[in-house]
């Protein structure tokens, strides 16, 4: 069989791998949006639901030649180009877990809505050059129809059960943590009487993360495709999520009657934040500070978490059983309309505003940051990775003046960062994941989904741990297994 690395190779986003078997059976593992490719404005998109990159010429294969798609989890850097795959001629199924199916539907619908808005904005222009661009974008960007076609072809399967997909080929989805429904995928193949096994890590979660189960062990395999996002570093904050968030709230909203703005991805991270806040108010008797979640997508995603209580960790299940709610607590409000979102800027008491996106790039959070960035009694708390050039990255790098939607703002607000809500395992977690494999029987490790420096560092670490057979593939590179 042959394995080709078509995305997330020597970069973080755009996960996509093609496994070709000898009987011409072709499996695509993930089909993600490449956030590091510039969009039509020459800027990288956000990590959540940025308008997708044009599909024309994106796939280095005929979509109709693919027999099956396997999806590790819902995040758009793994799922975001599935509608484009169908519009280019794919006619097969997508296998994933039930929560991944539900969350992917939310994310792709939101992306299609943004794509339609971009087309409508261009269509309203009277300039011929802009109208020509609108016509091209209609050809390039997927819309609701492609999302519906995609979701109609998804087949949800259970964790930890072998699923036969073809003669001599079976797949198993193993809980990976990281996000509700996220999976490591193990593929077993029998070719010419020889059995081969390969594991795609997806994104590896961390232990004791709010709501989510710990990543489960994977069996020994012949080939391991391993993400390396945190391959060169450890998480900085060793406090529990409750303690870290309690400390921030105490300093920013209680000791000083201020406002706390938390940019957060709507799917996964916002649920972890709301659950942690619920525990703080329920178990630690925090003052009843108002909390606003400003994201319709977060609202929809939270409903999906509530529908899959049995798939959460034991702590969350017990909390739900005792309190009958994961995310609903005193003085909490979801803001659904844009009018309600803007009205919060006039709220005069200390409060917490959670809004997307996590990199402060696009979404409603830009408005909240613009309204509060020059207020010394406000704090902007960054809780995850921010790509270079995003507003979040510029805030973390100490820029004194920021331009938001064409208007300059002096940075007088306090800027803080914690990484306890990062859903990615750090270097030690990655070592533990690889450590389940025997150096004597593992034929190759392929490092993906990381910055190149992180990959090189992790490769050196693995060599010290007794794993010399590590490859860092280039985009488009193929290997015969």
């Amino acid at each position: 069989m042959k394995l080709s690395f078509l995305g997330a190779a020597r970069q973080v986003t755009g996960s996509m791998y093609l496994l070709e078997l000898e009987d011409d059976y072709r499996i695509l593992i993930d089909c993600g949006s490449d956030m590091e490719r510039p969009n039509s404005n020459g800027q990288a998109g956000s990590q959540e639901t940025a308008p997708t990159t044009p599909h024309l010429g994106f796939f280095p294969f005929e979509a109709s030649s693919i027999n099956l798609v396997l999806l590790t989890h819902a995040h758009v850097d793994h799922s975001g180009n599935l509608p484009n795959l169908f519009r280019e001629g794919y006619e097969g199924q997508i296998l994933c877990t039930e929560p991944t199916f539900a969350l992917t539907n939310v994310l792709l619908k939101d992306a299609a809505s943004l794509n339609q808005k971009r087309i409508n904005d261009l269509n309203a222009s009277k300039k011929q050059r802009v109208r020509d661009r609108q016509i091209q974008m209609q050809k390039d960007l997927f819309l609701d129809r492609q999302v519906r076609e995609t979701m109609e072809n998804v087949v949800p399967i259970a964790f930890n059960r072998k699923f036969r997909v073809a003669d001599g080929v079976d797949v198993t989805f193993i809980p990976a943590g990281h996000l509700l429904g996220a999976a490591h995928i193990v593929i077993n193949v029998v070719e010419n009487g020889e059995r081969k096994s390969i594991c795609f890590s997806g994104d590896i979660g961390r232990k004791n993360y709010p709501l989510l189960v710990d990543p489960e062990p994977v069996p020994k395999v012949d080939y391991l495709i391993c993400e390396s996002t945190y391959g060169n570093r450890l998480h900085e904050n060793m406090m529990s999520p409750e303690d870290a968030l309690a400390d921030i709230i105490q300093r920013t909203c209680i000791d000083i009657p201020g406002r706390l703005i938390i940019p957060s991805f709507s799917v996964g991270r916002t649920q972890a934040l709301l659950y942690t806040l619920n525990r703080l108010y329920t178990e630690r008797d925090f003052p009843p500070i108002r909390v606003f979640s400003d994201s319709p997508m977060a609202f929809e995603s939270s409903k999906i978490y509530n529908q899959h209580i049995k798939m959460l960790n034991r702590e969350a299940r017990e909390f739900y059983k005792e309190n009958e709610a994961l995310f609903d607590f005193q003085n909490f409000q979801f803001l659904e309309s844009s009018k309600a979102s803007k009205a919060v800027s006039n709220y005069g008491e200390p409060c917490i505003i959670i809004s997307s996106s996590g990199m402060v790039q696009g979404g409603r959070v830009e408005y909240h940051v613009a309204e509060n960035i020059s207020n010394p009694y406000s704090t902007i708390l960054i809780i995850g990775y921010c790509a270079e050039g995003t507003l979040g990255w510029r805030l973390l790098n100490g820029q004194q003046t920021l331009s938001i939607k064409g208007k300059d703002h002096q940075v007088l607000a306090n800027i803080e960062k914690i990484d306890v809500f990062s859903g990615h395992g750090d270097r030690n977690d990655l070592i533990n994941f690889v450590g389940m494999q025997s150096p004597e029987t593992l034929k190759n490790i392929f490092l993906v989904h990381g910055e190149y420096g992180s990959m090189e560092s992790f490769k050196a670490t693995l060599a010290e741990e007794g794993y010399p057979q590590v490859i860092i593939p280039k985009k488009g590179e193929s290997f015969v297994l």
Side-chain angles (χ1 to χ4, degrees), residues 40-309:
S40 62
N41 297 318
Q43 299 176 332
S46 82
Q47 188 85 347
E48 189 157 32
T49 55
T52 57
T53 52
H55 82 283
L56 192 61
F58 182 86
F59 300 113
F61 52 79
E62 288 292 333
S64 60
S65 71
I66 303 298
N67 298 95
L68 180 68
V69 175
L70 306 178
L71 180 59
T72 59
H73 65 285
H75 284 148
V76 293
D77 60 321
H78 294 256
S79 68
N81 267 300
L82 287 171
N84 286 333
L85 190 69
F86 278 91
R87 74 182 295 167
E88 285 200 355
Y90 178 61
E91 297 179 342
Q93 296 177 330
I94 301 168
L95 302 187
C96 65
T97 66
E98 178 67 40
T100 294
F101 164 66
L103 292 174
T104 299
N105 189 40
V106 170
L107 283 160
L108 294 182
K109 282 184 175 179
D110 188 75
S113 177
L114 290 174
N115 289 342
Q116 185 65 68
K117 184 178 184 301
R118 294 176 71 196
I119 291 172
N120 291 345
D121 289 345
L122 288 174
N123 195 38
S125 174
K126 296 182 179 180
K127 295 181 179 180
Q128 184 61 43
R129 177 180 60 83
V130 177
R131 291 176 64 83
D132 289 343
R133 176 59 184 151
Q134 181 266 340
I135 294 172
Q136 182 61 45
M137 287 182 67
Q138 284 183 315
K139 299 177 181 178
D140 290 346
L141 299 178
F142 68 76
L143 300 174
D144 283 339
R145 181 169 62 84
Q146 285 80 34
V147 174
R148 289 195 301 271
E149 182 181 8
T150 299
M151 303 317 298
E152 287 170 357
N153 287 279
V154 173
V155 178
I157 65 173
F159 278 122
N160 293 317
R161 294 185 182 178
K162 284 188 178 181
F163 192 88
R164 181 176 174 274
V165 298
D167 289 340
V169 184
D170 64 66
V171 301
T172 305
F173 285 67
I174 300 171
H178 180 68
L179 180 69
L180 180 65
H184 310 305
I185 299 178
V186 175
I187 305 175
N188 291 304
V189 179
V190 177
E191 286 185 329
N192 301 320
E194 181 183 2
R195 186 177 183 85
K196 301 176 183 177
S197 56
I198 181 169
C199 175
F200 295 84
S201 73
D203 285 357
I204 300 168
R206 54 195 299 191
K207 295 180 179 179
N208 303 314
Y209 190 81
L211 296 171
L212 301 181
V213 297
D214 291 348
E216 290 190 9
V218 298
K220 288 182 172 54
V221 295
D222 298 309
Y223 302 95
L224 183 66
I225 290 79
C226 182
E227 68 116 321
S228 55
T229 313
Y230 272 76
N232 62 348
R233 60 196 187 277
L234 302 176
H235 289 301
E236 297 173 3
N237 299 97
M238 303 310 295
M239 304 169 70
S240 69
E242 290 84 359
D243 289 340
L245 198 54
D247 174 65
I248 292 286
I249 296 171
Q250 182 71 44
R251 291 187 288 104
T252 62
C253 295
I254 299 175
D255 294 343
I256 298 173
R259 177 174 292 186
L260 179 60
I261 312 296
I262 309 180
S264 176
F265 296 129
S266 300
V267 178
R269 204 159 293 174
T270 291
Q271 286 72 42
L273 272 171
L274 293 178
Y275 169 68
T276 302
L277 284 167
N278 193 359
R279 295 193 62 184
L280 287 179
Y281 292 146
T282 301
E283 300 172 351
R284 300 198 185 186
D285 296 325
F286 255 60
I289 299 166
R290 289 297 300 271
V291 177
F292 301 100
S293 177
D294 188 16
S295 168
M297 187 160 57
F299 179 72
E300 293 299 321
S301 302
S302 296
K303 290 194 295 186
I304 293 170
Y305 272 69
N306 279 317
Q307 292 163 2
H308 294 87
I309 298 293

